[in-house]
Amino acid sequence: MRFRHPDGSTVHLAYCTNVHPAETLDGVLAQLRDHCEPVRRSLGRDRLGIGLWLAKGAAHTLIADPVALRSLRAELDRRGLEVVTLNGFPYDGFGAEEVKYRVYEPDWADPERLAHTTDLARLLTALLPDDVTEGTISTLPLAWRTGFDGHAAATAGAALTTLSGQLDALEELTGKSIRVALEPEPGCTVETTADAIGPLTALPGDRIGVCVDTCHLATSFEDPATALTALDTAGVGIPKAQLSAALHAEEPGRPEVRAALAAFDEPRFLHQTRTLTPGGLRGTDDLGEALATDALPDAAPWRAHFHVPLHAPPAAPLTSTLPVLQEALALLVGGVQPRTRHLEVETYTWQALPPELRPRTRAQLVDGIAAELTLARDLLTDLGLKELP
């Protein structure tokens, strides 16, 4: 979906396909047929943006076979789909029964992360619509925090410097500008937008910036205005933002609130949990740890890294951090000029919801994703952006 900003530029809205497990190119083609095109039709649009996730197997196939790459581009066009952004955070196994810490491998100290991201950049230049010259890729925020020492940090910094040069060369070759965005996430080396400033200002040029994920922003209790102003002041760009909402418990000390939270403690993904205390941010690596121990004080609200559907916050006594998303979105695209032009709805946890909230059919999932995009569209038009055909 495309929108005209009051400054005349185009803002793109997509939804991320990591919600649909697909490790191979055949799997990607199937998700376009079974999910992405039906979402577009449900919205009544001739064109729909998708934030494509290409696991390492699918990416390797496309890099090795130019015919397959041209066929994928043709399939996107045929189904009324367009790609201006890729989700390069998960490497593989995102559809496994247990993902947890695996999603942070390989990290930016591993040469394979650089190789994979370079492959994605090359592929994106071929997948961009003919009238679009700028693409973005979100990636993990360097690494999970444990075991990431000074040597690993230096290695990761060198890899990002190499990537920046490769993206410069790629634009000279193709005329397409690709930017990469580190996505701060709780528990990682770069947990907050503030954590990103040091590593990014040390890099040459402006090819690499921050992907603001509003679920992660809220989980870490970051104030959107403070966070974005600090990035502006440091000269760190925001190539991409992910529109998402976290799980919020206002009174986590109450037994009924803990029981409601326990329904979201599931085995597939990490649900880092945070609370803001007078002494600063406190957290656990997973929701179950917070519920089973006294690691977190319960006198103040808890927030958990669980991407809940934008249009369907959980029932009381829980809620979502949708207000944080709304505040951040107004700051990102509601000003005289947008801070970013690539927006992506990223709710990959539909099948991790409590059983009674999960979609039971493919059609129900399509309807849910369409409802999320409708809410995002309405927020954008309320900010003065005009939806384009």
Side-chain angles (χ1 to χ4, degrees):
M1 300 168 76
R2 299 187 184 191
F3 297 81
R4 181 72 67 210
H5 190 274
D7 77 343
S9 64
T10 300
V11 172
H12 295 265
L13 173 66
Y15 89 90
C16 185
T17 64
N18 64 354
V19 64
H20 312 304
E23 300 286 322
T24 66
L25 178 56
D26 285 344
V28 171
L29 295 172
Q31 71 182 202
L32 301 183
R33 178 193 67 224
D34 296 339
H35 299 286
C36 302
E37 184 177 11
V39 170
R40 178 184 65 76
R41 293 184 182 277
S42 178
L43 290 166
R45 306 297 302 163
D46 293 332
R47 173 173 54 190
L48 176 68
I50 57 172
L52 197 60
W53 174 56
L54 296 173
K56 68 168 184 177
H60 286 174
T61 297
L62 292 167
I63 285 290
D65 187 349
V67 174
L69 179 56
R70 288 194 295 271
S71 296
L72 173 58
R73 171 61 191 275
E75 188 73 356
L76 289 165
D77 293 341
R78 187 171 75 85
R79 298 194 181 278
L81 306 169
E82 65 178 16
V83 174
V84 303
T85 188
L86 300 178
N87 188 332
F89 196 136
Y91 179 72
D92 65 357
F94 200 64
E97 291 185 4
E98 182 176 334
V99 179
K100 297 290 184 181
Y101 296 94
R102 284 181 51 198
V103 75
Y104 307 107
E105 300 172 354
D107 64 30
W108 273 100
D110 186 328
E112 184 53 36
R113 175 60 66 173
L114 173 61
H116 178 60
T117 308
T118 303
D119 283 349
L120 293 180
R122 291 171 57 194
L123 294 173
L124 185 53
T125 62
L127 295 176
L128 286 173
D130 292 339
D131 62 343
V132 175
T133 59
E134 297 181 357
T136 56
I137 302 169
S138 49
T139 187
L140 83 161
L142 298 186
W144 184 252
R145 70 184 186 282
T146 55
F148 194 74
D149 58 16
H151 175 73
T155 302
L160 290 172
T161 297
T162 298
L163 176 65
S164 180
Q166 290 174 335
L167 297 177
D168 286 342
L170 192 60
E171 182 173 10
E172 290 184 11
L173 180 66
T174 66
K176 307 289 187 178
S177 174
I178 306 300
R179 299 175 70 200
V180 171
L182 302 186
E183 182 183 332
E185 177 167 315
C188 292
T189 300
V190 174
E191 170 156 343
T192 66
T193 55
D195 293 335
I197 290 173
L200 290 178
T201 53
L203 298 176
D206 61 356
R207 291 287 182 184
I208 303 174
V210 165
C211 172
V212 174
D213 182 302
T214 57
C215 170
H216 303 171
L217 191 81
T219 301
S220 294
F221 288 86
E222 287 197 79
D223 173 66
T226 302
L228 298 187
T229 299
L231 292 176
D232 289 345
T233 301
V236 174
I238 306 172
K240 173 179 179 177
Q242 289 174 327
L243 308 184
S244 53
L247 192 63
H248 180 95
E250 187 66 20
E251 299 179 274
R254 291 167 51 198
E256 61 269 33
V257 176
R258 285 179 172 260
L261 283 170
F264 287 84
D265 177 28
E266 55 83 38
R268 187 171 173 189
F269 300 110
L270 276 185
H271 301 296
Q272 301 94 314
T273 304
R274 300 288 185 266
T275 187
L276 193 59
T277 74
L281 199 65
R282 294 271 298 276
T284 60
D285 284 354
D286 215 345
L287 178 58
E289 180 187 352
L291 292 170
T293 70
D294 59 359
L296 290 188
D298 57 15
W302 288 5
R303 289 176 178 173
H305 173 216
F306 194 117
H307 290 226
V308 296
L310 301 187
H311 68 293
L318 304 178
T319 186
S320 81
T321 60
L322 182 63
V324 178
L325 183 160
Q326 292 173 287
E327 182 181 356
L329 185 62
L331 295 166
L332 286 165
V333 301
V336 176
Q337 291 183 320
R339 282 181 162 99
T340 186
R341 293 184 175 86
H342 289 182
L343 304 172
E344 179 183 76
V345 171
E346 196 211 17
T347 302
Y348 57 82
T349 46
W350 276 95
Q351 299 301 340
L353 290 167
E356 68 275 12
L357 301 179
R358 296 174 193 169
R360 292 181 172 83
T361 65
R362 186 181 296 164
Q364 287 180 345
L365 178 58
V366 165
D367 289 344
I369 294 169
E372 289 195 283
L373 285 166
T374 297
L375 183 147
R377 179 194 64 195
D378 292 345
L379 292 178
L380 290 171
T381 56
D382 287 348
L383 290 171
L385 282 73
K386 180 181 179 183
E387 187 176 6
L388 298 175

